[in-house]
Amino acid sequence: MSSFLFSASFNMLIPELPSYLTSLGGAEYKGLIIALFTLTAGISRPFSGKLTDTIGRVPVMAIGSLVCFFCGFLYPVLTTVAGFLLLRLFHGFSTGFKPTATAAYVADLIPVKRWGEAMGIHGLFFSTGMAIGPAIGSWITSHFSINVLFYCSSVFALLSIAILMNMKETLRDKQRFHPSHLKINRKDIIDTRALPAAIITFLSYISYGAILTVVSDWSLHLGVTNKGLFYMVFTIASLLIRFLAGKVSDRHGRIIVLKVSLSLLIMALLAIGFAKSAVGLLAASSLYGVSTGMLSPTVSAWTVDLGHPEQRGKAMATMYIALEAGIGLGALLAGWLFIHDLKMIPITLYICAGITSLALIYMQINFPKNKQTRQSY
């Protein structure tokens, strides 16, 4: 429930931010809306991973929600283009902290043979926030104002923190915070055991950064008046498959599920680019939701499989660094290719489909068979 509220808090802003930035006079910086957010999220991952493994899972989750809480109140204050972009940079710390600690927390609670199922259930709630947030955000903005939307985002984040206060810490050897915990060396940044999962995450999430940047304009062009509807359709589709995909990956292995999900993701990106109507776009978004609904819990469980039990925070941070880098690069790519020219949106999506194909090729070369990937210690 905490993840649901946290997810809704920052996702409800996404459909409205491109037009809001345009109203401030910064239309040419649309690609930075997501890119700056993911930049600080990625930079903070090594810190959040180390803190998750030292001071505890719950405090690190709380830090992420607190950032969302404060940002909601600052958006109406910083009303220049520079101020807005600076705030997006700060806002990224939220997803740099909370998901890393949450994934480690879930892995602590759940038996090893049910990690895929557990990640699917957690993803179910996080994705519900992704589905409800944008639709609510567009509705609030159209009926009230963008500032009311920002304040509502803060309220959701505050409720997320309230739930965390009643959660029991799962880290057994919890330490008091000390400034030395913020000292990061090379060994703290990347868990090399989790690199295969990180590579797949990076290549597959480039498309997500591009979609976040262009889908609002593409939806309006094809006749979808509620800019949050695309997010709702693809997230609802992902909800229906996440739980099942997680259980299948527990029983039959992560590799086969990843290969199928990557194949579906490629088809979905091509379908979104080929869409000629609102119905076609929403149908393609449902396929996109199925593919990401299969991919997300499986790659999270695979990361836990590959990492060391005492360094789950670092393993998850490695995967999330790749995720943020992929989203940020995708947003920059889309922002560079598309500013106002709608004809460039399909080309952007086709390029993303090609990049996702590289992930599938990597899996086929390095994991030709659905062999066991879970480490033993």
Side-chain angles (χ1 to χ4, degrees):
M1 287 303 298
S2 179
S3 288
F4 160 73
L5 292 164
F6 170 76
S7 175
S9 172
F10 72 88
N11 276 293
M12 65 172 56
L13 305 180
I14 290 175
E16 301 303 322
L17 291 183
S19 57
Y20 178 69
L21 181 57
T22 300
S23 71
L24 296 179
E28 65 271 27
Y29 300 112
K30 285 182 180 179
L32 295 180
I33 292 174
I34 303 299
L36 291 176
F37 187 91
T38 57
L39 175 63
T40 43
I43 291 173
S44 63
R45 295 290 184 187
F47 299 94
S48 66
K50 186 174 182 179
L51 291 173
T52 295
D53 291 332
T54 51
I55 70 172
R57 324 302 199 195
V58 175
V60 176
M61 286 190 277
I63 292 171
S65 294
L66 278 169
V67 171
C68 280
F69 173 73
F70 287 116
C71 284
F73 286 103
L74 290 174
Y75 277 109
V77 177
L78 302 177
T79 55
T80 64
V81 172
F84 173 86
L85 295 177
L86 179 64
L87 191 53
R88 288 303 291 170
L89 196 66
F90 177 69
H91 203 163
F93 282 108
S94 61
T95 57
F97 277 78
K98 195 171 193 308
T100 302
T102 301
Y105 189 91
V106 172
D108 290 343
L109 292 175
I110 305 300
V112 62
K113 293 183 179 180
R114 301 184 67 185
W115 276 341
E117 181 182 356
M119 294 301 177
I121 293 173
H122 170 256
L124 188 76
F125 283 86
F126 193 91
S127 295
T128 301
M130 289 178 62
I132 292 176
I136 291 178
S138 292
W139 183 85
I140 290 173
T141 304
S142 62
H143 286 77
F144 299 97
S145 69
I146 189 73
N147 284 349
V148 173
L149 172 62
F150 293 140
Y151 298 141
C152 287
S153 174
S154 287
V155 171
F156 274 66
L158 182 62
L159 294 174
S160 173
I161 298 168
I163 292 175
L164 292 174
M165 294 174 65
N166 294 314
M167 290 171 59
K168 184 179 179 180
E169 179 58 58
T170 59
L171 183 64
R172 286 178 290 183
D173 299 322
K174 182 179 177 181
Q175 304 173 25
R176 281 180 170 271
F177 173 76
H178 189 272
S180 63
H181 291 144
L182 297 178
K183 293 181 180 179
I184 300 294
N185 57 47
R186 286 182 297 176
K187 293 182 179 180
D188 294 323
I189 297 175
I190 299 294
D191 186 345
T192 55
R193 290 176 292 249
L195 280 178
I199 291 170
I200 297 304
T201 301
F202 171 73
L203 293 172
S204 59
Y205 272 85
I206 287 175
S207 62
Y208 188 60
I211 283 177
L212 289 176
T213 303
V214 305
V215 78
S216 294
D217 293 285
W218 193 231
S219 295
L220 288 174
H221 172 68
L222 295 176
V224 181
T225 54
N226 187 322
K227 289 177 284 188
L229 193 57
F230 177 93
Y231 298 95
M232 174 172 281
V233 171
F234 99 73
T235 310
I236 290 175
S238 75
L239 296 180
L240 300 176
I241 198 69
R242 277 179 181 272
F243 180 68
L244 177 62
K247 294 187 72 172
V248 170
S249 75
D250 285 335
R251 293 181 182 179
H252 302 288
R254 318 296 186 203
I255 306 304
I256 185 65
V257 178
L258 287 172
K259 289 179 180 179
V260 172
S261 62
L262 288 170
S263 300
L264 292 176
L265 179 56
I266 294 166
M267 290 188 285
L269 292 168
L270 294 174
I272 295 172
F274 278 118
K276 303 299 181 183
S277 65
V279 173
L281 177 64
L282 296 179
S285 72
S286 65
L287 180 60
Y288 181 77
V290 170
S291 63
T292 55
M294 294 175 64
L295 178 67
S296 179
T298 306
V299 80
S300 295
W302 194 28
T303 303
V304 177
D305 291 344
L306 296 172
H308 193 283
E310 295 181 2
Q311 295 181 332
R312 284 174 182 160
K314 185 164 74 168
M316 295 309 301
T318 299
M319 188 271 287
Y320 278 119
I321 287 171
L323 182 146
E324 304 296 355
I327 294 175
L329 181 60
L332 287 174
L333 175 67
W336 175 62
L337 292 173
F338 161 73
I339 297 178
H340 295 294
D341 188 1
L342 290 169
K343 294 179 181 178
M344 293 302 298
I345 292 181
I347 295 174
T348 302
L349 294 167
Y350 302 154
I351 292 173
C352 290
I355 294 172
T356 306
S357 299
L358 296 178
L360 185 59
I361 293 170
Y362 172 85
M363 290 296 296
Q364 194 60 43
I365 293 174
N366 293 280
F367 302 93
K369 296 182 179 179
N370 186 32
K371 60 184 179 180
Q372 179 63 271
T373 57
R374 187 175 293 129
Q375 303 282 7
S376 58
Y377 298 97

Short mmCIF file of all heavy atoms in Angstrom, two decimals, residues 311-357:
data_model
loop_
_atom_site.label_atom_id
_atom_site.label_comp_id
_atom_site.label_asym_id
_atom_site.label_seq_id
_atom_site.Cartn_x
_atom_site.Cartn_y
_atom_site.Cartn_z
N GLN A 311 23.79 -8.63 0.37
CA GLN A 311 23.99 -7.40 -0.42
C GLN A 311 22.82 -7.19 -1.39
O GLN A 311 23.00 -6.77 -2.52
CB GLN A 311 25.31 -7.48 -1.19
CG GLN A 311 26.52 -7.51 -0.29
CD GLN A 311 27.83 -7.57 -1.07
OE1 GLN A 311 27.89 -8.07 -2.17
NE2 GLN A 311 28.87 -7.02 -0.48
N ARG A 312 21.62 -7.47 -0.91
CA ARG A 312 20.44 -7.31 -1.76
C ARG A 312 20.21 -5.86 -2.14
O ARG A 312 19.76 -5.56 -3.24
CB ARG A 312 19.20 -7.88 -1.05
CG ARG A 312 19.15 -9.39 -1.08
CD ARG A 312 18.00 -9.94 -0.26
NE ARG A 312 18.03 -11.40 -0.30
CZ ARG A 312 17.43 -12.18 0.58
NH1 ARG A 312 16.74 -11.64 1.58
NH2 ARG A 312 17.48 -13.49 0.48
N GLY A 313 20.52 -4.97 -1.21
CA GLY A 313 20.37 -3.55 -1.53
C GLY A 313 21.26 -3.15 -2.70
O GLY A 313 20.82 -2.44 -3.61
N LYS A 314 22.52 -3.60 -2.69
CA LYS A 314 23.44 -3.26 -3.77
C LYS A 314 23.01 -3.90 -5.08
O LYS A 314 23.11 -3.28 -6.15
CB LYS A 314 24.86 -3.69 -3.42
CG LYS A 314 25.89 -3.25 -4.46
CD LYS A 314 27.32 -3.33 -3.94
CE LYS A 314 27.80 -4.76 -3.85
NZ LYS A 314 29.26 -4.82 -3.62
N ALA A 315 22.54 -5.16 -5.02
CA ALA A 315 22.09 -5.83 -6.25
C ALA A 315 20.91 -5.09 -6.86
O ALA A 315 20.88 -4.84 -8.08
CB ALA A 315 21.71 -7.28 -5.94
N MET A 316 19.93 -4.73 -6.02
CA MET A 316 18.77 -4.02 -6.54
C MET A 316 19.16 -2.62 -7.03
O MET A 316 18.63 -2.13 -8.02
CB MET A 316 17.68 -3.91 -5.46
CG MET A 316 17.08 -5.24 -5.03
SD MET A 316 16.50 -6.28 -6.40
CE MET A 316 15.30 -5.20 -7.18
N ALA A 317 20.11 -1.99 -6.33
CA ALA A 317 20.58 -0.67 -6.77
C ALA A 317 21.23 -0.75 -8.14
O ALA A 317 21.04 0.12 -8.99
CB ALA A 317 21.56 -0.09 -5.75
N THR A 318 21.98 -1.83 -8.38
CA THR A 318 22.62 -2.01 -9.69
C THR A 318 21.58 -2.11 -10.79
O THR A 318 21.71 -1.48 -11.85
CB THR A 318 23.48 -3.30 -9.67
OG1 THR A 318 24.49 -3.17 -8.68
CG2 THR A 318 24.13 -3.53 -11.03
N MET A 319 20.54 -2.90 -10.55
CA MET A 319 19.48 -3.05 -11.54
C MET A 319 18.75 -1.72 -11.76
O MET A 319 18.46 -1.33 -12.90
CB MET A 319 18.49 -4.13 -11.11
CG MET A 319 17.45 -4.50 -12.15
SD MET A 319 15.94 -3.49 -12.03
CE MET A 319 15.19 -4.16 -10.54
N TYR A 320 18.50 -0.99 -10.67
CA TYR A 320 17.77 0.27 -10.79
C TYR A 320 18.62 1.38 -11.42
O TYR A 320 18.10 2.29 -12.05
CB TYR A 320 17.24 0.72 -9.43
CG TYR A 320 15.95 0.04 -9.04
CD1 TYR A 320 15.86 -0.75 -7.90
CD2 TYR A 320 14.80 0.20 -9.81
CE1 TYR A 320 14.67 -1.37 -7.54
CE2 TYR A 320 13.61 -0.41 -9.46
CZ TYR A 320 13.55 -1.19 -8.33
OH TYR A 320 12.37 -1.80 -7.98
N ILE A 321 19.95 1.32 -11.22
CA ILE A 321 20.82 2.27 -11.92
C ILE A 321 20.66 2.09 -13.42
O ILE A 321 20.54 3.05 -14.19
CB ILE A 321 22.29 2.07 -11.50
CG1 ILE A 321 22.52 2.59 -10.09
CG2 ILE A 321 23.24 2.80 -12.47
CD1 ILE A 321 23.88 2.23 -9.52
N ALA A 322 20.65 0.83 -13.85
CA ALA A 322 20.46 0.53 -15.27
C ALA A 322 19.08 0.99 -15.73
O ALA A 322 18.93 1.52 -16.84
CB ALA A 322 20.61 -0.97 -15.51
N LEU A 323 18.07 0.81 -14.89
CA LEU A 323 16.71 1.24 -15.24
C LEU A 323 16.66 2.75 -15.44
O LEU A 323 16.11 3.24 -16.44
CB LEU A 323 15.75 0.79 -14.14
CG LEU A 323 14.27 1.11 -14.32
CD1 LEU A 323 13.40 -0.01 -13.72
CD2 LEU A 323 13.89 2.43 -13.65
N GLU A 324 17.22 3.49 -14.49
CA GLU A 324 17.20 4.95 -14.59
C GLU A 324 18.00 5.43 -15.78
O GLU A 324 17.61 6.38 -16.48
CB GLU A 324 17.74 5.58 -13.31
CG GLU A 324 17.05 5.16 -12.02
CD GLU A 324 15.59 5.59 -11.95
OE1 GLU A 324 15.12 6.29 -12.85
OE2 GLU A 324 14.92 5.20 -10.98
N ALA A 325 19.15 4.78 -16.03
CA ALA A 325 19.97 5.16 -17.18
C ALA A 325 19.22 4.92 -18.48
O ALA A 325 19.26 5.75 -19.41
CB ALA A 325 21.28 4.37 -17.17
N GLY A 326 18.50 3.81 -18.55
CA GLY A 326 17.71 3.50 -19.75
C GLY A 326 16.59 4.50 -19.96
O GLY A 326 16.40 5.02 -21.07
N ILE A 327 15.85 4.79 -18.90
CA ILE A 327 14.74 5.74 -19.00
C ILE A 327 15.27 7.13 -19.38
O ILE A 327 14.71 7.82 -20.24
CB ILE A 327 13.94 5.80 -17.68
CG1 ILE A 327 13.24 4.46 -17.42
CG2 ILE A 327 12.90 6.93 -17.73
CD1 ILE A 327 12.53 4.40 -16.09
N GLY A 328 16.35 7.54 -18.71
CA GLY A 328 16.91 8.86 -19.00
C GLY A 328 17.41 8.98 -20.43
O GLY A 328 17.16 9.98 -21.11
N LEU A 329 18.10 7.95 -20.91
CA LEU A 329 18.60 7.97 -22.29
C LEU A 329 17.44 7.97 -23.28
O LEU A 329 17.47 8.68 -24.29
CB LEU A 329 19.51 6.76 -22.53
CG LEU A 329 20.13 6.66 -23.93
CD1 LEU A 329 21.00 7.89 -24.21
CD2 LEU A 329 20.96 5.38 -24.05
N GLY A 330 16.41 7.19 -22.98
CA GLY A 330 15.23 7.17 -23.85
C GLY A 330 14.54 8.51 -23.92
O GLY A 330 14.10 8.94 -24.99
N ALA A 331 14.45 9.18 -22.78
CA ALA A 331 13.82 10.51 -22.75
C ALA A 331 14.65 11.52 -23.54
O ALA A 331 14.09 12.34 -24.28
CB ALA A 331 13.66 10.97 -21.30
N LEU A 332 15.97 11.47 -23.37
CA LEU A 332 16.83 12.38 -24.13
C LEU A 332 16.74 12.10 -25.62
O LEU A 332 16.70 13.03 -26.44
CB LEU A 332 18.27 12.25 -23.65
CG LEU A 332 18.61 12.84 -22.28
CD1 LEU A 332 20.04 12.51 -21.89
CD2 LEU A 332 18.39 14.36 -22.29
N LEU A 333 16.73 10.83 -25.99
CA LEU A 333 16.61 10.44 -27.39
C LEU A 333 15.30 10.96 -27.98
O LEU A 333 15.29 11.56 -29.07
CB LEU A 333 16.67 8.92 -27.52
CG LEU A 333 16.44 8.34 -28.93
CD1 LEU A 333 17.58 8.74 -29.86
CD2 LEU A 333 16.31 6.82 -28.87
N ALA A 334 14.21 10.76 -27.25
CA ALA A 334 12.91 11.22 -27.74
C ALA A 334 12.85 12.74 -27.80
O ALA A 334 12.29 13.32 -28.75
CB ALA A 334 11.80 10.67 -26.84
N GLY A 335 13.40 13.41 -26.78
CA GLY A 335 13.40 14.86 -26.78
C GLY A 335 14.22 15.44 -27.92
O GLY A 335 13.89 16.49 -28.47
N TRP A 336 15.31 14.76 -28.27
CA TRP A 336 16.17 15.21 -29.37
C TRP A 336 15.50 14.99 -30.72
O TRP A 336 15.52 15.86 -31.59
CB TRP A 336 17.50 14.47 -29.30
CG TRP A 336 18.42 14.79 -30.45
CD1 TRP A 336 18.96 16.00 -30.77
CD2 TRP A 336 18.89 13.86 -31.43
NE1 TRP A 336 19.75 15.89 -31.89
CE2 TRP A 336 19.73 14.60 -32.32
CE3 TRP A 336 18.72 12.50 -31.64
CZ2 TRP A 336 20.36 13.99 -33.41
CZ3 TRP A 336 19.36 11.90 -32.72
CH2 TRP A 336 20.17 12.64 -33.59
N LEU A 337 14.86 13.83 -30.90
CA LEU A 337 14.21 13.52 -32.17
C LEU A 337 12.89 14.26 -32.35
O LEU A 337 12.52 14.66 -33.45
CB LEU A 337 13.95 12.01 -32.28
CG LEU A 337 15.19 11.11 -32.42
CD1 LEU A 337 14.78 9.65 -32.35
CD2 LEU A 337 15.92 11.40 -33.72
N PHE A 338 12.18 14.43 -31.21
CA PHE A 338 10.84 15.03 -31.29
C PHE A 338 10.76 16.26 -30.39
O PHE A 338 10.96 16.18 -29.19
CB PHE A 338 9.78 14.02 -30.88
CG PHE A 338 8.46 14.66 -30.50
CD1 PHE A 338 7.64 15.21 -31.48
CD2 PHE A 338 8.06 14.73 -29.18
CE1 PHE A 338 6.43 15.80 -31.14
CE2 PHE A 338 6.86 15.32 -28.83
CZ PHE A 338 6.05 15.86 -29.81
N ILE A 339 10.46 17.38 -30.97
CA ILE A 339 10.13 18.57 -30.19
C ILE A 339 8.70 18.99 -30.51
O ILE A 339 7.82 19.02 -29.67
CB ILE A 339 11.11 19.74 -30.48
CG1 ILE A 339 12.54 19.33 -30.06
CG2 ILE A 339 10.69 20.98 -29.69
CD1 ILE A 339 13.58 20.39 -30.36
N HIS A 340 8.45 19.27 -31.77
CA HIS A 340 7.09 19.62 -32.20
C HIS A 340 6.64 18.80 -33.41
O HIS A 340 5.46 18.84 -33.77
CB HIS A 340 7.01 21.11 -32.55
CG HIS A 340 7.23 22.01 -31.37
ND1 HIS A 340 6.36 22.06 -30.30
CD2 HIS A 340 8.22 22.89 -31.09
CE1 HIS A 340 6.80 22.94 -29.42
NE2 HIS A 340 7.93 23.46 -29.87
N ASP A 341 7.55 18.07 -34.04
CA ASP A 341 7.23 17.34 -35.26
C ASP A 341 6.66 15.97 -34.94
O ASP A 341 7.39 15.04 -34.56
CB ASP A 341 8.50 17.19 -36.12
CG ASP A 341 8.20 16.61 -37.49
OD1 ASP A 341 7.02 16.35 -37.78
OD2 ASP A 341 9.15 16.42 -38.28
N LEU A 342 5.35 15.81 -35.09
CA LEU A 342 4.67 14.55 -34.76
C LEU A 342 5.13 13.40 -35.64
O LEU A 342 5.04 12.23 -35.24
CB LEU A 342 3.16 14.72 -34.87
CG LEU A 342 2.51 15.60 -33.81
CD1 LEU A 342 1.06 15.91 -34.18
CD2 LEU A 342 2.57 14.93 -32.44
N LYS A 343 5.62 13.70 -36.84
CA LYS A 343 6.07 12.64 -37.74
C LYS A 343 7.27 11.88 -37.18
O LYS A 343 7.54 10.75 -37.60
CB LYS A 343 6.44 13.23 -39.10
CG LYS A 343 5.26 13.82 -39.86
CD LYS A 343 5.70 14.41 -41.19
CE LYS A 343 4.52 15.02 -41.95
NZ LYS A 343 4.96 15.63 -43.23
N MET A 344 7.96 12.48 -36.23
CA MET A 344 9.14 11.84 -35.66
C MET A 344 8.81 10.86 -34.54
O MET A 344 9.66 10.06 -34.14
CB MET A 344 10.11 12.90 -35.13
CG MET A 344 10.74 13.77 -36.20
SD MET A 344 11.64 12.79 -37.45
CE MET A 344 12.90 12.03 -36.43
N ILE A 345 7.58 10.90 -34.03
CA ILE A 345 7.22 10.01 -32.93
C ILE A 345 7.27 8.54 -33.35
O ILE A 345 7.88 7.71 -32.66
CB ILE A 345 5.84 10.38 -32.35
CG1 ILE A 345 5.93 11.75 -31.65
CG2 ILE A 345 5.35 9.31 -31.36
CD1 ILE A 345 4.64 12.21 -31.02
N PRO A 346 6.65 8.13 -34.48
CA PRO A 346 6.77 6.72 -34.89
C PRO A 346 8.22 6.29 -35.11
O PRO A 346 8.60 5.18 -34.71
CB PRO A 346 5.97 6.67 -36.20
CG PRO A 346 5.00 7.79 -36.09
CD PRO A 346 5.73 8.88 -35.38
N ILE A 347 9.03 7.16 -35.71
CA ILE A 347 10.43 6.82 -35.94
C ILE A 347 11.15 6.58 -34.61
O ILE A 347 11.95 5.65 -34.47
CB ILE A 347 11.12 7.94 -36.74
CG1 ILE A 347 10.50 8.04 -38.14
CG2 ILE A 347 12.62 7.71 -36.83
CD1 ILE A 347 11.00 9.21 -38.95
N THR A 348 10.84 7.43 -33.62
CA THR A 348 11.42 7.26 -32.29
C THR A 348 11.08 5.90 -31.71
O THR A 348 11.94 5.20 -31.14
CB THR A 348 10.92 8.37 -31.34
OG1 THR A 348 11.25 9.65 -31.88
CG2 THR A 348 11.53 8.22 -29.96
N LEU A 349 9.83 5.49 -31.86
CA LEU A 349 9.38 4.21 -31.32
C LEU A 349 10.00 3.04 -32.06
O LEU A 349 10.33 2.01 -31.46
CB LEU A 349 7.86 4.13 -31.37
CG LEU A 349 7.14 5.14 -30.46
CD1 LEU A 349 5.66 5.22 -30.80
CD2 LEU A 349 7.32 4.75 -29.00
N TYR A 350 10.19 3.18 -33.37
CA TYR A 350 10.83 2.10 -34.14
C TYR A 350 12.29 1.93 -33.72
O TYR A 350 12.80 0.81 -33.65
CB TYR A 350 10.76 2.41 -35.65
CG TYR A 350 9.36 2.60 -36.18
CD1 TYR A 350 9.12 3.39 -37.32
CD2 TYR A 350 8.26 2.01 -35.56
CE1 TYR A 350 7.84 3.58 -37.81
CE2 TYR A 350 6.97 2.21 -36.05
CZ TYR A 350 6.77 2.99 -37.17
OH TYR A 350 5.50 3.18 -37.65
N ILE A 351 12.96 3.04 -33.44
CA ILE A 351 14.35 2.97 -32.97
C ILE A 351 14.40 2.26 -31.62
O ILE A 351 15.28 1.42 -31.37
CB ILE A 351 14.95 4.39 -32.86
CG1 ILE A 351 15.13 5.00 -34.26
CG2 ILE A 351 16.29 4.35 -32.12
CD1 ILE A 351 15.57 6.45 -34.24
N CYS A 352 13.43 2.57 -30.76
CA CYS A 352 13.38 1.91 -29.45
C CYS A 352 13.13 0.41 -29.59
O CYS A 352 13.67 -0.40 -28.82
CB CYS A 352 12.29 2.54 -28.58
SG CYS A 352 12.68 4.23 -28.03
N ALA A 353 12.31 0.04 -30.57
CA ALA A 353 12.07 -1.39 -30.82
C ALA A 353 13.36 -2.08 -31.24
O ALA A 353 13.64 -3.21 -30.83
CB ALA A 353 11.00 -1.56 -31.89
N GLY A 354 14.16 -1.39 -32.04
CA GLY A 354 15.44 -1.94 -32.45
C GLY A 354 16.39 -2.12 -31.27
O GLY A 354 17.10 -3.14 -31.17
N ILE A 355 16.40 -1.15 -30.37
CA ILE A 355 17.27 -1.25 -29.18
C ILE A 355 16.81 -2.39 -28.28
O ILE A 355 17.64 -3.14 -27.74
CB ILE A 355 17.25 0.09 -28.41
CG1 ILE A 355 17.90 1.19 -29.26
CG2 ILE A 355 17.97 -0.05 -27.07
CD1 ILE A 355 17.77 2.58 -28.68
N THR A 356 15.50 -2.56 -28.14
CA THR A 356 14.98 -3.67 -27.34
C THR A 356 15.35 -5.01 -27.95
O THR A 356 15.58 -6.00 -27.24
CB THR A 356 13.45 -3.55 -27.21
OG1 THR A 356 13.10 -2.26 -26.70
CG2 THR A 356 12.89 -4.62 -26.26
N SER A 357 15.44 -5.05 -29.28
CA SER A 357 15.86 -6.28 -29.96
C SER A 357 17.26 -6.71 -29.53
O SER A 357 17.57 -7.90 -29.49
CB SER A 357 15.82 -6.10 -31.48
OG SER A 357 14.52 -5.81 -31.93
#
